[in-house]
Amino acid sequence: MGSPVEDLRAVLPADRVLTDPDLLATHRRDEADLCDAGTPLAVVRPRDTAEVAAAVRVAAAHGVPVVPQGARTGL
């Protein structure tokens, strides 16, 4: 088992796992202000349920929380 990001890249197409620091900074929080913000290890943009399941399996194997985002308003 590698790092969570390495394992995500191993099970998902390369364009689905985003790690650019500027992009990660924009995903630190939404508009709700209901909980503390934190910088994600990666942003995953799955395109189907199989990719969602693969990402969740990797996160679970590493004990990494998953924070789903939709429209990202949180309101």
Side-chain angles (χ1 to χ4, degrees), residues 23-32 40 43 45 67-75:
L23 178 81
L24 296 180
T26 68
H27 283 76
R28 291 189 70 229
R29 61 179 333 180
D30 61 18
E31 299 300 320
V43 171
R45 293 188 173 156
V67 180
Q69 293 184 342
R72 295 191 49 215
T73 65
L75 302 175

Side-chain angles (χ1 to χ4, degrees), residues 1-59:
M1 181 180 335
S3 74
V5 174
E6 290 170 345
D7 288 353
L8 284 169
R9 287 190 170 131
V11 299
L12 295 170
D15 65 333
R16 308 290 201 278
V17 181
L18 309 174
T19 58
D20 177 88
D22 291 333
L23 178 81
L24 296 180
T26 68
H27 283 76
R28 291 189 70 229
R29 61 179 333 180
D30 61 18
E31 299 300 320
D33 290 333
L34 299 174
C35 60
D36 294 335
T39 303
L41 293 174
V43 171
V44 177
R45 293 188 173 156
R47 293 195 182 159
D48 57 36
T49 55
E51 290 180 359
V52 172
V56 170
R57 278 193 298 275
V58 169

